[in-house]
Amino acid sequence: MAKEMVYEKILSFRETEKNEAQMHYQTSMEKFEAVALKLVDLLQKKEKYEEQYYRYLERNTDVSTINMYYNYLRKIEEDISQVQRKVNKARDDMNKKQDHLTTQHVEVKKIEKIIDRKRLQLLEHEEFEERKMMDDISTRQFLGNKGRG
């Protein structure tokens, strides 16, 4: 029984680690989603301004307006490049956290399996001892009845 308590403490510790890993993974996933949404927003802006830029090019608009759109598009592309790096970094971090969470989950399952085996062994031992005791009682009764008869 004392051994089982040790395993229960280990299980509790592993579950705490797993819960922390789950929290870290959730946080990293939220960060990834936020950065990814920023990237999507920038890509939509770029698409919108590219359409306007090409319309101005087709209309023979003055050079300053076209230049303004061109510079703005270049700035958006730089921003997209920076945010893309952030997205990749956030994705890598999220994947690492997910791997860690998976590892923690496996560790919890291992301990749970050990505890289940120990409980089964204890139950089998108790059943064995009970059968042994019943056999002993039966033998005593038989020998006691044999002496009377």
Side-chain angles (χ1 to χ4, degrees):
M1 197 58 140
K3 286 182 182 179
E4 190 175 325
M5 288 180 60
V6 169
Y7 287 116
E8 290 289 340
K9 285 182 181 181
I10 293 171
L11 177 62
S12 175
F13 177 74
R14 292 292 187 190
E15 285 178 335
T16 300
E17 285 181 329
K18 185 186 93 171
N19 291 339
E20 287 176 9
Q22 176 70 39
M23 254 182 3
H24 291 298
Y25 171 69
Q26 188 68 32
T27 301
S28 68
M29 190 170 65
E30 290 168 359
K31 286 179 183 176
F32 170 76
E33 288 174 352
V35 176
L37 286 173
K38 188 174 182 180
L39 179 63
V40 167
D41 184 48
L42 284 171
L43 290 170
Q44 288 173 341
K45 273 185 186 178
K46 178 185 173 195
E47 186 178 329
K48 176 183 160 188
Y49 280 96
E50 277 180 339
E51 287 175 11
Q52 290 177 355
Y53 174 72
Y54 289 120
R55 268 193 250 130
Y56 282 123
L57 282 176
E58 290 173 356
R59 290 190 206 158
N60 296 329
T61 308
D62 63 294
V63 175
S64 63
T65 304
I66 292 173
N67 194 30
M68 180 189 73
Y69 273 92
Y70 177 77
N71 289 333
Y72 187 73
L73 285 171
R74 281 188 41 215
K75 173 70 173 119
I76 287 179
E77 286 173 356
E78 289 172 11
D79 292 347
I80 287 171
S81 181
Q82 287 177 350
V83 172
Q84 190 124 38
R85 283 190 292 277
K86 289 179 182 179
V87 166
N88 290 337
K89 186 177 184 266
R91 180 184 295 117
D92 290 344
D93 183 54
M94 182 180 70
N95 288 337
K96 286 177 187 175
K97 301 283 171 120
Q98 185 177 25
D99 290 344
H100 182 67
L101 175 60
T102 301
T103 301
Q104 293 302 320
H105 182 73
V106 167
E107 290 299 317
V108 166
K109 288 296 180 187
K110 284 179 187 177
I111 299 298
E112 287 175 343
K113 197 163 200 155
I114 289 171
I115 290 172
D116 289 344
R117 284 188 196 142
K118 292 294 179 186
R119 285 182 180 155
L120 183 61
Q121 287 174 350
L122 180 63
L123 183 62
E124 288 172 351
H125 180 71
E126 287 173 354
E127 288 174 355
F128 174 78
E129 289 296 322
E130 188 176 321
R131 282 194 307 270
K132 193 169 134 183
M133 195 170 32
M134 294 301 284
D135 287 347
D136 189 44
I137 292 171
S138 295
T139 303
R140 287 183 188 177
Q141 282 180 345
F142 176 75
L143 291 175
N145 287 338
K146 192 175 185 183
R148 292 185 194 164

